[in-house]
Amino acid sequence: MILVTGSSGLAGREVASRLAGRAPVRLAFRDPAQGGEGATDAERVRFDFGDPSTFEAALRGVGRVFLLRPPRLARPRRDFGPFVAAMRRAGVGQVVFLSVRGAARNPLLPHHGIERLLEASGLTWTHLRPNDFMQNFATVHRADIRDRDEIWAPAGRGRTSFVDVRDVAGAAARTLTEPGHERRAYTLTGGEAFGLAEVAVLLSEALGRPVAYRNPGIPAFLRHNRAAGRPLALGLVMTGVYTAARLGLAAEVTPDLARLLGRPPTALRSFIGDCEAVWRR
Ligand SMILES: NC(=O)c1ccc[n+]([C@@H]2O[C@H](COP(=O)([O-])OP(=O)(O)OC[C@H]3O[C@@H](n4cnc5c(N)ncnc54)[C@H](OP(=O)(O)O)[C@@H]3O)[C@@H](O)[C@H]2O)c1
């Protein structure tokens, strides 16, 4: 049995759908009634990282866990320590953790502490470290693109090897269902790095209207986010992400994803074609 945490979210939903039919799956939701459609043949269970009374039922008979760090949980030991200990007690055989690019070297990222926690726990771990998701253009940047024909980000001319979360989920499904990924870490990137001006050109071509890249300073970017109603915490996370890009830290292209999938990663142009409707007015 594979337990998928974060099942109602972007990545967890994709992982669950890729596991469907390949292995028995249990989907973890804070509120199973609100959890959306999900994979129809999967079990559902109530689960909250902050409520240890939910751990036992979630982990009963579970051999492998897809572990997702919800964006609001930022204290590795406090927020994840109890569940890591419970996985150990329950005899979980492997934990595939959705980490983030750069987590190994950056102690400011909560994922860094979670990776360390897993490595010290005695559990068998696999870390997936994806670069920025292409889907961010269809979520956090969506309204600016759809309503104002603009991408706002303080990324300068920095380039990013954006990755499609559907590919990340495919890699997660492989590492959860095949041997050979124990105690391995993979950096998952797209096949090519793009500056945001290039992304704006691809969007313009797909949408048939000009989309511009706005490259504000950090204070202007944070003001723009507030005015758009996004929480300050999200603005700060995005500032960190795009500052890394500006400094040239997000452009690396690795072979890991293509090796795991057995095919090239999804191209940014294909992703934009698939999602085009989300930016139509
Ligand atoms: N976006 C990117 O570019 C990017 C790139 C690399 C890595 N990542 C990493 O990916 C992760 C986010 O994944 P995502 O985009 O799939 O997130 P998401 O769509 O925001 O989903 C978060 C999930 O966590 C669940 N959750 C929230 N609080 C919980 C709690 N206390 N206990 C149990 N479950 C809880 C949510 O369930 P509810 O429905 O109950 O709220 C939801 O299913 C983050 O760790 C992020 O750093 C993101």
Side-chain angles (χ1 to χ4, degrees):
M1 174 71 76
I2 300 174
L3 178 71
V4 177
T5 63
S7 289
S8 64
L10 177 66
R13 259 198 326 260
E14 294 291 342
V15 171
S17 81
R18 268 149 198 83
L19 287 172
R22 290 169 74 171
V25 175
R26 183 175 296 151
L27 305 180
F29 296 101
R30 278 194 294 182
D31 177 358
Q34 300 292 318
E37 289 302 308
T40 45
D41 56 349
E43 282 181 25
R44 289 165 168 253
V45 70
R46 190 172 86 76
F47 172 77
D48 190 327
F49 286 104
D51 180 358
S53 74
T54 64
F55 296 172
E56 196 190 325
L59 286 169
R60 198 169 298 134
V62 164
R64 296 176 183 212
V65 173
F66 173 72
L67 180 66
L68 179 126
R69 174 224 149 210
R72 289 202 185 156
L73 302 188
R75 301 162 304 178
R77 219 161 260 290
R78 201 156 155 182
D79 294 333
F80 297 91
F83 185 58
V84 168
M87 288 194 286
R88 181 88 171 113
R89 282 196 303 277
V92 166
Q94 186 200 13
V95 181
V96 173
F97 173 49
L98 183 69
S99 185
V100 68
R101 169 190 52 73
R105 292 181 307 276
N106 185 350
L108 295 175
L109 294 168
H111 311 74
H112 176 90
I114 300 169
E115 288 192 2
R116 295 289 94 81
L117 208 55
L118 290 168
E119 289 161 15
S121 68
L123 286 159
T124 297
W125 49 268
T126 305
H127 302 326
L128 302 180
R129 298 178 182 145
N131 206 346
D132 304 348
F133 297 159
M134 293 177 183
Q135 276 72 10
N136 295 343
F137 295 108
T139 55
V140 287
H141 292 293
R142 179 186 181 187
D144 283 341
I145 297 168
R146 183 191 56 202
D147 303 337
R148 306 164 56 129
D149 298 326
E150 291 176 343
I151 304 172
W152 276 68
R157 294 179 182 206
R159 296 161 74 82
T160 300
S161 52
F162 296 102
V163 64
D164 189 323
V165 79
R166 298 171 297 183
D167 289 348
V168 174
R174 292 296 286 264
T175 56
L176 283 162
T177 54
E178 290 178 347
H181 306 291
E182 298 80 8
R183 296 185 183 80
R184 305 279 302 269
Y186 300 104
T187 297
L188 306 180
T189 72
E192 210 181 328
F194 294 87
L196 290 180
E198 294 168 284
V199 177
V201 169
L202 290 176
L203 282 164
S204 305
E205 285 170 5
L207 297 174
R209 58 179 209 258
V211 175
Y213 167 41
R214 301 279 174 242
N215 174 29
I218 290 170
F221 176 68
L222 291 174
R223 280 197 303 277
H224 173 78
N225 267 288
R226 291 301 281 166
R230 289 188 281 268
L232 178 62
L234 177 59
L236 292 172
V237 168
M238 289 170 77
T239 299
V241 163
Y242 287 117
T243 300
R246 185 163 49 77
L247 297 174
L249 302 175
E252 184 192 13
V253 171
T254 72
D256 295 12
L257 185 54
R259 282 190 190 141
L260 284 169
L261 296 175
R263 61 162 172 82
T266 302
L268 183 58
R269 190 184 289 277
S270 307
F271 162 78
I272 290 173
D274 291 346
C275 295
E276 205 209 286
V278 307
W279 302 292
R280 294 258 174 231
R281 291 201 274 263

